[in-house]
Amino acid sequence: MSVKNKVAIAGVGSSRVGKVPDRTGLGLAAEAAKRAVEDAGIGWDEIDGLLTAYSMTEKYFMLGSVMCEYLGVRPKYAASMVVGGATPGVMLNHAAMAIAAGECSTVLIVIGENRKTGQTRDEAVAALTTVGHPNFENPYGPPMPALYGLVAQRHMYEFGTTSEHLASVAVTARYHASLNPEAQMRTPITVDDVLDSKMIAEPLHLLDCCLISDAAGAIIVTSAERARQLTTSPVYLRGISEFHTHEHVSMAGDLTHTGAEVSGRAAYEMAGVVPGDFDMAMLYDCFTIVPLIELEELGFVARGEAGEFFAEGRARLGGQLPVNTHGGMLSHAHAGAAGGLFDIIEASRQLRGECGERQVNGAELAVVHVEGGVLSSHCTLVLSNSR
């Protein structure tokens, strides 16, 4: 079923990010949800659908029901979903299909975690070492950075990608974050700063890795017709598609050819667009290697050319295709699935012309890509401020 232009994002909201010791994960989610509801101009009683993700800090089994309970809403459509970092995109897809099918009319998508203050360092490290396959990976103890380090090593071997190319991704993200008053890390960095930072999992240095944050985001999704009644600036879902290839990296058929190519092609086809039509891209960036692969898989550059694209400044504001104008997970914030939700929120704000100093001039069309696991589950979105 095509959901092209059938739904729109009518409101967005985000919590404070970084270190927020006075909020639990649920508290951060409530902060973001309140702002999204106010932004959409709706009442809480109008929410008849709610989707949330998973949490490493809130130890609840039925997190979707708990979120409804915490926020005081009683929807007829609700769930918690677990697709790793791809969860926000998959939730938007499910919300769109539910609205198009008449199951509900107004869905709150909200994700929040206090990973910065809600976990000790040991707990955070322990969590990162249990994501692998229980039989074939975990016995060897690789944390998540090591698994993405394998991907980076392979890309370097196949295409000649360098550590300097990876570093340029982090530098670009930090430049954009320096223009974003809400970002966790705003001090500019250089390629040398990245290369001089601590090696975490070769070839990934500390500044090649995403942040750990307390953060939450929320969006209100409704029908395109109702969105136009709620706001003068709805953001339409022009295209969306998922593709899932594996879970564990040891089961991946290829480390540099991923499901992003398939989900991207299908989303473009639904939207009736091609890569050259986009004004910006919000690409999942848990590690610097990931946006390089996504840029190639989504058809913006040929295989092996993404590193030079970033190094030459073409991913910066004012460049050929600005990428992650809020700073991404490398510099804005990352708290579980909330990291990818911020990509959707930033694209929405850009399309509404609300980003001030970091605004993309004439922004009309954005691509958002989120992935979960180790390049395992993919979801591509095409968002527009016109139908």
Side-chain angles (χ1 to χ4, degrees):
M1 177 178 68
S2 174
V3 295
K4 179 181 179 180
N5 291 332
K6 293 182 180 179
V7 303
I9 297 171
V12 301
S14 56
S15 73
R16 291 165 291 161
V17 307
K19 190 174 184 179
V20 189
D22 63 329
R23 290 286 188 274
T24 63
L26 288 173
L28 290 163
E31 187 176 309
K34 180 176 184 292
R35 291 174 179 171
V37 167
E38 292 173 347
D39 187 44
I42 63 172
W44 288 94
D45 59 343
E46 296 179 74
I47 296 171
D48 60 356
L50 182 145
L51 292 173
T52 192
Y54 52 90
S55 176
M56 292 185 179
T57 59
E58 299 286 359
K59 307 302 182 183
Y60 295 106
F61 176 63
M62 296 171 58
L63 189 59
S65 299
V66 170
M67 190 70 74
C68 294
E69 178 182 87
Y70 192 85
L71 297 177
V73 297
R74 302 178 68 184
K76 59 182 181 180
Y77 175 80
S80 53
M81 303 186 69
V82 184
V83 202
T87 303
V90 172
M91 287 197 295
L92 181 53
N93 195 20
H94 282 238
M97 290 189 286
I99 292 169
E103 290 294 318
C104 53
S105 63
T106 306
V107 179
L108 168 63
I109 293 176
V110 58
I111 306 170
E113 284 199 80
N114 60 332
R115 288 197 179 185
K116 184 74 171 176
T117 59
Q119 289 182 303
T120 66
R121 183 182 296 272
D122 287 346
E123 288 171 336
V125 171
L128 290 175
T129 56
T130 58
V131 295
H133 193 288
N135 298 323
F136 305 122
E137 294 172 19
N138 287 352
Y140 300 97
M144 182 66 86
L147 301 180
Y148 276 93
L150 291 174
V151 174
Q153 292 273 18
R154 185 65 191 183
H155 202 270
M156 288 177 157
Y157 173 78
E158 287 190 29
F159 304 113
T161 303
T162 67
S163 292
E164 287 77 10
H165 287 146
L166 298 177
S168 67
V169 177
V171 171
T172 300
R174 186 62 64 86
Y175 169 68
H176 290 157
S178 73
L179 306 177
N180 182 2
E182 296 183 2
Q184 181 175 340
M185 302 296 288
R186 300 185 61 200
T187 303
I189 56 176
T190 66
V191 168
D192 285 341
D193 289 331
V194 180
L195 299 181
D196 290 340
S197 65
K198 181 180 179 180
M199 183 67 75
I200 301 299
E202 192 174 358
L204 302 175
H205 297 80
L206 178 64
L207 293 179
D208 286 303
C209 304
C210 61
L211 303 174
I212 296 175
S213 316
D214 298 333
I219 60 176
I220 300 293
V221 186
T222 189
S223 68
E225 291 71 22
R226 183 159 186 255
R228 287 198 300 274
Q229 298 169 2
L230 294 174
T231 175
T232 57
S233 304
V235 174
Y236 299 100
L237 182 61
R238 289 267 297 273
I240 188 167
S241 183
E242 304 172 32
F243 198 70
H244 309 267
T245 57
H246 61 285
E247 158 61 308
H248 304 101
V249 70
S250 59
M251 307 299 165
D254 194 302
L255 293 181
T256 60
H257 292 67
T258 77
E261 182 176 18
V262 179
S263 65
R265 185 167 58 244
Y268 298 164
E269 183 177 351
M270 181 186 295
V273 299
V274 296
D277 294 332
F278 290 103
D279 301 303
M280 73 195 91
M282 305 301 156
L283 305 179
Y284 200 86
D285 62 341
C286 50
F287 299 94
T288 50
I289 184 58
V290 177
L292 297 186
I293 292 176
E294 291 167 334
L295 199 70
E296 295 169 359
E297 292 273 279
L298 293 171
F300 292 103
V301 295
R303 303 269 180 194
E305 294 183 0
E308 283 301 313
F309 189 93
F310 275 89
E312 293 170 357
R314 287 186 278 164
R316 282 197 174 210
L317 281 165
Q320 180 180 336
L321 183 75
V323 174
N324 295 347
T325 51
H326 56 319
M329 288 172 276
L330 290 167
S331 285
H332 169 255
H334 184 35
L341 186 54
F342 283 122
D343 291 342
I344 299 173
I345 291 170
E346 176 69 7
S348 299
R349 288 173 171 164
Q350 285 283 355
L351 293 169
R352 286 164 32 162
E354 299 173 346
C355 290
E357 193 176 358
R358 69 181 192 280
Q359 179 64 46
V360 175
N361 291 330
E364 296 181 352
L365 191 68
V367 62
V368 179
H369 186 84
V370 289
E371 64 94 3
V374 185
L375 298 171
S376 311
S377 291
H378 296 265
C379 189
T380 308
L381 294 66
V382 176
L383 300 176
S384 175
N385 54 21
S386 64
R387 298 179 75 176

